[in-house]
Amino acid sequence: PVFTGLDGTPSYTEGGAAQILDANVTIGDVELDALNGGNGQYNGASLSLVRNGGANSQDIFSLVSGGNLTVAGGPDGGGTISAGGNIIANIANSGATGQLQINFVDNTTAPSRALVNEVMQAIRYSNNSNDPAANVQIDWTFSDGNSVNTQGTGSNPGTATGSVTVGITNVSDAPSLSATGGNPTFTEGGGAQDLFNTVTASAVEAADRISAMTLTVTNVSDGASEILSFDGSDVALTNGTSVNTATNGLTVNVSVAGSTATVSFTGAT
């Protein structure tokens, strides 16, 4: 088999709609195209798509109904592609592993060359990562299903290979922060108590850093006697307090309005 026109240059934007990988790709096979009255008979042939270098669960492949095709399901759970009311291909159940395999079958309606081409042109791509790569190469492999030279001497099976590179536009995501309140008990004159546990902060994108953060403390009433231990330094909850922390040199500022203290830091890298 031989691919023609496998030269799509799709662009995908993080969080956006899935994009067609190649709207004009076609396949040709001398032996298979001669069957079915010259319309082609691709029963037993298959098509697989996977990221160059190995499957990646960030890659989401899909097909949608349209034209002569009716699609049910997809790679995650398996599915079918029908034409004329009959199944012409099965979508293999590859789970959420970032692969697509389509196996063409003849269930009264033959998977002709035209229908196979329509299937290939309907394949769409999206990416579920919050920090995707700028470019992803998707490798295509088409197998003619030849076995023990039933289609003539040569490779068993014969295959065609090619690729499409998807350009991906990364969208800046808001940072995330989660923490579980420890509900500690403080004893007068005792040691400081940890307020939170299982704290997780993420800038999401690998190239980003969390440079600043703000927290509030309510019911402040004891002035300088109320203290937060912050990055190796004590920070009194009084209006105008400014501390350069001992561990990482962060600048911590406190403002108090009524009984609410707002504590903010800057200078992280």
Side-chain angles (χ1 to χ4, degrees):
V2 177
F3 282 120
T4 300
L6 185 55
D7 53 6
T9 55
S11 296
Y12 173 75
T13 299
E14 178 188 338
Q19 299 297 304
I20 292 176
L21 285 176
D22 198 308
N24 65 353
V25 60
T26 62
I27 195 72
D29 183 284
V30 173
E31 289 79 23
L32 300 184
D33 288 344
L35 303 175
N36 188 28
N39 293 312
Q41 168 56 280
Y42 280 74
N43 181 35
S46 63
L47 173 69
S48 64
L49 275 68
V50 66
R51 182 186 292 216
N52 181 263
N56 190 309
S57 60
Q58 296 176 1
D59 301 325
I60 308 298
F61 298 103
S62 60
L63 294 92
V64 295
S65 299
N68 295 303
L69 307 178
T70 300
V71 180
D76 189 1
T80 60
I81 305 170
S82 299
N86 299 302
I87 294 173
I88 62 163
N90 292 310
I91 304 171
N93 180 7
S94 57
T97 59
Q99 302 179 77
L100 173 65
Q101 180 164 335
I102 299 172
N103 302 307
F104 294 98
V105 296
D106 186 344
N107 287 303
T108 306
T109 298
S112 65
R113 182 183 182 189
L115 288 174
V116 170
N117 289 338
E118 190 172 352
V119 168
M120 295 194 299
Q121 293 166 12
I123 298 173
R124 299 173 183 244
Y125 174 89
S126 60
N127 189 296
N128 65 11
S129 174
N130 286 322
D131 190 17
N135 297 283
V136 172
Q137 178 179 318
I138 303 300
D139 291 338
W140 297 49
T141 302
F142 194 96
S143 167
D144 64 9
N146 187 29
S147 177
V148 295
N149 294 325
T150 55
Q151 298 175 23
T153 57
S155 300
N156 288 275
T159 58
T161 59
S163 66
V164 167
T165 297
V166 184
I168 301 178
T169 300
N170 198 333
V171 175
S172 181
D173 297 283
S176 65
L177 173 66
S178 64
T180 302
N183 298 317
T185 299
F186 174 74
T187 301
E188 181 181 351
Q193 300 296 305
D194 196 0
L195 296 178
F196 301 99
N197 52 59
T198 60
V199 178
T200 302
S202 173
V204 182
E205 282 86 9
D208 289 351
R209 299 292 182 268
I210 295 175
S211 61
M213 185 177 73
T214 299
L215 62 90
T216 58
V217 182
T218 58
N219 298 323
V220 173
S221 58
D222 292 329
S225 296
E226 296 195 62
I227 296 170
L228 289 181
S229 294
F230 197 99
D231 194 41
S233 296
D234 287 345
V235 179
L237 299 181
T238 55
N239 191 52
T241 294
S242 183
V243 175
N244 189 256
T245 62
T247 302
N248 291 297
L250 305 178
T251 299
V252 182
N253 293 297
V254 180
S255 64
V256 178
S259 61
T260 299
T262 300
V263 184
S264 59
F265 80 78
T266 59
T269 58

